[in-house]
């Protein structure tokens, strides 16, 4: 149903001649009041989905006694590793990473969408001009009509349809801001993990290089003893096999190190040839584990903030869908000049203007509006479930890495004892072999055990650093809107 009122303006306006316009507005107001009585109610203000969290992490008791004085995770959480090279790489990654650039562009698009939504609440003003040529009703006399007019229209947002769109766009903007923060946090964590893995590969290579030197000396010693007739050719073959196998492992470790450096270059947004990280063959020490409450996690994690913002956007869309049951009220106005002569167009006799009010309410649509509302409500339920799942996943990640870091710390202590025992066994075997009381097979076995024990110790240290970095990432991520 549409009610439209258009009144041509007299050439000389007066209060008396404005009475029809005022009457039109009164009639429209009456219709608005009547139709408002049958309109449905707007949705309630958005409330974050309920998601109870425990008072403390289940695995936090593993650290509470030893680390009670450890402060909360800093924003630059990777600095806890005290590695200047890592700190410098983190500075570069936030500038050059292409994934972050993509998320920044997405944020800019969300900000523009919000501006578009806000603009819909304002009047639309335009200018039109035209020249029409034709003939009179008899078809014998040519006629010309020139026009120049200013047009304006404005939808009265009495039911909040446009405001709901703005609210939804605002929430989507907040979600994009949180997405950018989450992407930045993810890239920083990936850089940290890749860097630590590269240093682990270097440490493995350094260990294998030392072993190759030691095995080379052992081969020379065994070859000399064979030439002297003290040992058999079997000892020489065993020493050669051990040396060559270790050299193969060294090549593999150097290859892994090169590939990890290439991965660093990609994260930095640079070609592999442009990145050359100096070798140190040293893994940083694992920092202490900060103590944090689960409730703080909800305040800091950007992925949780993004999920909450998307639920808020879905709630606003429910309101927008419900306003389809309300009448749409619009005001329009135009004024200008119309006349046959272009040179005398802007003249008082050629002046025209009009004011209009329209009220539109759909009476029958086959259930389309209700279906749209039901769809919006289902999307809200989905967003709420996604939010709760995000919180549960965040809690699980922290619990998993709390357990992992605690277990790996214990493993590190035990493996250190095993390594000392393996080194002692190798020393004894070498002395016995030089004394001629045992065969070279005993030395090979002791050397293999010692190398395996030291490689295992490095692997445990690398896994502990990886778990610690992941835990710091899971606990970190404080973000600010607009960063």
């Amino acid at each position: 149903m549409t009610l439209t009122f258009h009144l041509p303006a007299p050439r000389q306006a007066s209060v008396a001649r404005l009475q029809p316009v005022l009457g039109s507005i009164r009639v429209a107001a009456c219709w608005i009041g009547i139709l408002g009585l049958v309109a449905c109610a707007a949705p309630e203000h958005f409330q974050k989905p309920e998601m109870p969290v425990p008072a403390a992490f289940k695995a936090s008791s593993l650290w509470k006694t030893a680390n009670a004085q450890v402060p909360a995770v800093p924003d630059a959480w990777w600095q806890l590793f005290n590695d200047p090279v890592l700190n410098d790489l983190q500075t570069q990654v936030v500038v050059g990473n292409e994934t972050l650039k993509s998320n920044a562009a997405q944020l800019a698009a969300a900000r523009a969408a919000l501006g578009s939504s806000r603009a819909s609440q304002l009047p639309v003003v335009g200018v039109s001009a035209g020249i029409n040529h034709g003939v009179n009703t008899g078809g014998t006399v040519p006629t010309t009509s020139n026009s120049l007019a200013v047009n304006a229209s404005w939808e009265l947002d009495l039911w909040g349809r446009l405001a709901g769109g703005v609210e939804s766009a605002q929430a989507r903007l907040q979600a994009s801001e949180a997405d950018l923060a989450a992407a930045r946090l993810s890239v920083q964590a990936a850089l940290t993990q890749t860097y630590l893995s590269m240093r682990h590969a270097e440490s493995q290579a350094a260990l294998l290089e030392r072993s190759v030197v030691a095995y080379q000396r052992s081969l020379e010693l065994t070859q000399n003893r064979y030439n002297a007739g003290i040992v058999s050719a079997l000892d020489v073959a065993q020493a050669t096999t051990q040396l060559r196998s270790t050299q193969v492992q060294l090549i593999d470790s150097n290859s892994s190190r090169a590939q990890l450096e290439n991965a660093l270059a990609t994260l930095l947004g640079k070609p592999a040839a442009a990145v050359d990280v100096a070798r140190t063959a040293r893994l940083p020490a694992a920092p202490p584990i900060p103590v944090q409450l689960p409730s703080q996690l909800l305040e800091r994690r950007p992925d949780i903030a993004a999920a909450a913002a998307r639920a808020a956007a879905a709630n606003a869309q429910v309101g927008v869908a419900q306003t389809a049951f309300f009448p749409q009220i619009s005001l329009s106005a135009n004024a200008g000049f119309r006349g046959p002569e272009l040179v005398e167009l802007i003249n008082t006799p050629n002046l025209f203007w009009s004011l209009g009010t329209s009220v539109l309410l759909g009476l029958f649509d086959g259930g389309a509006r209700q279906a749209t509302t039901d769809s919006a409500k289902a999307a809200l339920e989905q967003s709420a479930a996604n939010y709760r799942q995000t919180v549960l996943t965040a809690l699980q990640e922290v619990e998993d890495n709390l357990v992992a870091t605690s277990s790996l710390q214990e493993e590190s202590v035990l493996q250190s004892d095993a390594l000392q025992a393996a080194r002692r066994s190798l020393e004894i075997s070498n002395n016995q072999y030089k004394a001629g009381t045992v065969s070279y097979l005993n030395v090979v076995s002791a050397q293999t055990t010692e190398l395996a024990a030291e490689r295992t110790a490095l692997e445990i240290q690398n896994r502990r650093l990886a778990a610690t970095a992941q835990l710091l990432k899971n606990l970190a991520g404080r973000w600010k809107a607009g960063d």
Side-chain angles (χ1 to χ4, degrees):
M1 177 178 59
T2 304
L3 304 178
T4 307
F5 306 92
H6 296 286
L7 295 178
R11 297 181 178 179
Q12 295 182 350
S14 64
V15 175
R17 295 192 178 187
L18 287 176
Q19 292 301 323
V21 178
L22 300 177
S24 300
I25 296 176
R26 294 192 193 100
V27 172
C30 292
W31 274 102
I32 292 170
I34 294 172
L35 296 173
L37 294 176
V38 298
C40 57
E44 297 181 358
H45 183 69
F46 173 72
Q47 293 182 354
K48 190 179 297 185
E50 290 289 337
M51 187 62 218
V53 296
F57 290 107
K58 180 171 63 175
S60 61
S61 59
L62 301 172
W63 300 98
K64 187 175 296 182
T65 302
N67 300 284
Q69 303 302 319
V70 176
V73 182
D75 294 344
W77 51 272
W78 57 87
Q79 294 182 357
L80 294 177
F81 291 99
N82 293 318
D83 191 313
V85 178
L86 176 59
N87 296 341
D88 179 62
L89 292 174
Q90 291 287 5
T91 301
Q92 298 179 45
V93 77
V94 295
V95 177
N97 185 265
E98 296 298 330
T99 300
L100 294 184
K101 292 179 182 179
S102 174
N103 283 90
Q106 181 180 352
L107 175 60
R111 186 172 289 114
L114 175 60
S116 177
S117 296
R118 286 175 173 167
S120 66
Q121 295 178 298
L122 302 175
V124 177
V125 180
V127 177
S128 62
I131 301 177
N132 297 317
H133 298 283
V135 294
N136 63 356
T137 55
T140 57
V141 180
T143 62
T144 300
S145 175
N146 304 288
S147 64
L148 177 65
V150 176
N151 310 294
S153 62
W154 181 32
E155 180 179 344
L156 300 180
D157 192 26
L158 300 181
W159 322 118
R161 184 180 71 87
L162 301 179
V166 172
E167 182 181 351
S168 178
Q170 179 69 53
R172 287 194 295 268
L173 174 60
Q174 292 174 352
S176 295
E177 289 173 341
D179 284 340
L180 177 58
R184 182 171 61 242
L185 184 59
S186 179
V187 167
Q188 290 167 339
L191 178 71
T192 301
Q193 297 282 18
T194 304
Y195 176 80
L196 293 175
S197 296
M198 186 188 69
R199 292 306 189 199
H200 172 249
E202 289 178 6
S203 300
Q204 292 276 21
L207 168 61
L208 292 169
E209 286 173 354
R210 295 194 300 269
S211 298
V212 166
V213 172
Y215 296 165
Q216 184 69 49
R217 289 198 299 263
S218 295
L219 176 60
E220 293 173 356
L221 173 62
T222 303
Q223 185 68 49
N224 293 335
R225 291 170 67 86
Y226 170 74
N227 294 336
I230 300 176
V231 298
S232 67
L234 177 62
D235 289 355
V236 177
Q238 290 173 335
T240 302
T241 300
Q242 186 179 45
L243 174 61
R244 296 294 180 254
S245 298
T246 306
Q247 288 174 330
V248 169
Q249 296 175 40
L250 175 59
I251 294 173
D252 186 65
S253 292
N254 285 327
S255 176
S256 296
R257 197 271 179 194
Q259 292 173 347
L260 289 166
E261 187 177 58
N262 294 341
L264 281 179
T266 301
L267 286 170
L268 296 175
K270 300 178 180 179
V275 175
D276 185 12
V277 182
R279 287 176 174 259
T280 63
R282 179 183 63 84
L283 282 170
I289 302 301
V291 177
Q292 195 174 66
L293 300 177
S295 58
Q296 295 174 306
L297 197 68
L298 305 185
E299 300 172 358
R300 295 176 64 94
R301 291 270 298 232
D303 55 343
I304 295 177
R310 288 190 171 88
N315 181 78
Q317 284 302 121
V318 172
V320 172
Q322 289 178 337
T323 57
F325 294 95
F326 289 70
Q328 293 185 14
I329 303 100
S330 300
L331 301 179
S332 62
N334 62 82
F337 299 91
R338 184 184 298 117
E341 300 296 333
L342 184 61
V343 293
E344 298 181 356
L345 179 63
I346 302 177
N347 202 339
T348 300
N350 297 329
L351 175 65
F352 73 93
W353 59 264
S354 67
L355 296 175
T357 304
S358 64
V359 180
L360 175 64
L361 176 64
L363 298 179
F364 178 76
D365 58 8
R369 288 174 294 178
Q370 186 60 52
T372 301
T373 301
D374 293 341
S375 176
K377 290 180 178 178
L380 174 58
E381 289 297 325
Q382 181 183 18
S383 298
N386 290 340
Y387 168 79
R388 289 189 289 267
Q389 183 59 48
T390 302
V391 173
L392 290 173
T393 301
L395 294 174
Q396 179 192 350
E397 289 174 347
V398 175
E399 294 281 13
D400 288 348
N401 286 289
L402 279 172
V403 173
T405 50
S406 176
S407 300
L408 289 168
Q409 185 182 41
E410 296 178 7
E411 290 181 25
S412 179
V413 174
L414 295 174
Q415 187 61 33
S416 178
D417 292 341
L419 178 59
Q420 294 301 321
R423 287 171 175 170
R424 178 59 180 162
S425 175
L426 176 60
E427 181 181 358
I428 294 173
S429 296
N430 278 325
N431 292 334
Q432 290 176 338
Y433 177 69
K434 291 175 181 178
T437 58
V438 297
S439 68
Y440 191 73
L441 181 61
N442 296 69
V443 177
V444 171
S445 177
Q447 287 176 331
T448 302
T449 302
E450 190 267 347
L451 176 59
E454 191 160 359
R455 294 193 70 174
T456 301
L458 282 174
E459 181 63 29
I460 291 175
Q461 185 180 3
N462 180 56
R463 289 168 55 202
R464 183 182 175 191
L465 287 170
T468 302
Q470 189 64 29
L471 177 60
L472 292 174
K473 178 254 184 183
N474 292 334
L475 294 174
R478 184 167 57 202
W479 65 287
K480 298 177 182 178
D483 282 356

